[in-house]
Short mmCIF file of all heavy atoms in Angstrom, two decimals:
data_model
loop_
_atom_site.label_atom_id
_atom_site.label_comp_id
_atom_site.label_asym_id
_atom_site.label_seq_id
_atom_site.Cartn_x
_atom_site.Cartn_y
_atom_site.Cartn_z
N ALA A 9 95.85 85.82 107.03
CA ALA A 9 94.79 84.83 107.29
C ALA A 9 95.27 83.43 107.10
O ALA A 9 94.76 82.74 106.25
CB ALA A 9 93.56 85.15 106.46
N VAL A 18 106.03 79.14 107.10
CA VAL A 18 105.38 80.19 106.57
C VAL A 18 103.90 79.98 106.56
O VAL A 18 103.51 78.93 106.13
CB VAL A 18 105.98 80.51 105.07
CG1 VAL A 18 105.23 81.69 104.47
CG2 VAL A 18 107.44 80.68 105.07
N GLN A 19 103.23 80.96 107.03
CA GLN A 19 101.70 80.86 107.08
C GLN A 19 101.28 80.99 105.70
O GLN A 19 101.45 82.08 105.07
CB GLN A 19 101.13 81.87 108.00
CG GLN A 19 101.59 81.68 109.42
CD GLN A 19 100.77 80.66 110.15
OE1 GLN A 19 99.93 79.97 109.61
NE2 GLN A 19 100.92 80.54 111.45
N GLU A 24 91.67 84.36 97.55
CA GLU A 24 90.31 84.41 97.07
C GLU A 24 90.05 85.69 96.31
O GLU A 24 90.54 86.70 96.75
CB GLU A 24 89.22 84.25 98.22
CG GLU A 24 89.37 82.90 98.96
CD GLU A 24 88.39 82.82 100.03
OE1 GLU A 24 87.65 83.77 100.19
OE2 GLU A 24 88.24 81.73 100.54
N ILE A 32 91.62 81.28 92.34
CA ILE A 32 91.84 81.92 91.01
C ILE A 32 91.90 80.82 89.98
O ILE A 32 92.85 79.95 90.09
CB ILE A 32 93.16 82.72 91.01
CG1 ILE A 32 92.93 83.89 92.09
CG2 ILE A 32 93.47 83.23 89.68
CD1 ILE A 32 94.23 84.61 92.27
N GLN A 93 119.60 89.44 102.08
CA GLN A 93 120.36 90.70 101.91
C GLN A 93 120.09 91.29 100.59
O GLN A 93 120.10 90.71 99.57
CB GLN A 93 121.86 90.40 101.88
CG GLN A 93 122.32 89.87 103.35
CD GLN A 93 122.04 90.83 104.49
OE1 GLN A 93 121.32 90.48 105.36
NE2 GLN A 93 122.70 91.97 104.42
N HIS A 129 110.19 99.18 110.56
CA HIS A 129 109.22 98.15 110.49
C HIS A 129 108.08 98.80 109.61
O HIS A 129 107.53 99.90 109.96
CB HIS A 129 108.65 97.82 111.81
CG HIS A 129 109.79 97.31 112.73
ND1 HIS A 129 110.21 95.98 112.60
CD2 HIS A 129 110.40 97.85 113.78
CE1 HIS A 129 111.21 95.82 113.56
NE2 HIS A 129 111.31 96.88 114.20
N LEU A 130 107.69 98.12 108.60
CA LEU A 130 106.70 98.69 107.58
C LEU A 130 105.54 97.66 107.41
O LEU A 130 105.82 96.43 107.26
CB LEU A 130 107.32 98.93 106.27
CG LEU A 130 108.65 99.88 106.33
CD1 LEU A 130 109.46 99.63 105.11
CD2 LEU A 130 108.20 101.30 106.40
N GLN A 169 107.59 107.15 103.65
CA GLN A 169 108.86 106.53 103.39
C GLN A 169 108.94 106.03 101.97
O GLN A 169 107.87 105.41 101.52
CB GLN A 169 109.12 105.38 104.33
CG GLN A 169 109.43 105.88 105.78
CD GLN A 169 110.67 106.65 106.02
OE1 GLN A 169 111.68 106.40 105.34
NE2 GLN A 169 110.72 107.59 106.89
N PHE A 173 115.32 99.73 95.68
CA PHE A 173 116.13 98.50 95.78
C PHE A 173 116.86 98.35 94.36
O PHE A 173 116.18 98.39 93.25
CB PHE A 173 115.26 97.31 95.99
CG PHE A 173 114.51 97.45 97.36
CD1 PHE A 173 113.28 97.94 97.60
CD2 PHE A 173 115.32 97.03 98.47
CE1 PHE A 173 112.71 98.05 98.76
CE2 PHE A 173 114.64 96.99 99.82
CZ PHE A 173 113.42 97.60 99.98
N ASP A 177 120.48 92.62 87.77
CA ASP A 177 120.08 92.66 86.31
C ASP A 177 118.52 92.77 86.32
O ASP A 177 117.95 92.74 87.29
CB ASP A 177 120.54 91.35 85.67
CG ASP A 177 120.19 90.06 86.32
OD1 ASP A 177 119.14 89.99 86.84
OD2 ASP A 177 120.95 89.09 86.20
N THR A 198 92.60 89.72 100.70
CA THR A 198 92.21 89.01 101.95
C THR A 198 91.41 89.95 102.92
O THR A 198 90.43 89.52 103.45
CB THR A 198 93.45 88.64 102.78
OG1 THR A 198 94.24 87.70 101.94
CG2 THR A 198 93.14 87.89 104.09
#
Side-chain angles (χ1 to χ4, degrees):
V18 180
Q19 296 278 7
E24 297 181 353
I32 298 176
Q93 296 301 116
H129 303 284
L130 304 159
Q169 293 287 331
F173 295 94
D177 55 34
T198 301

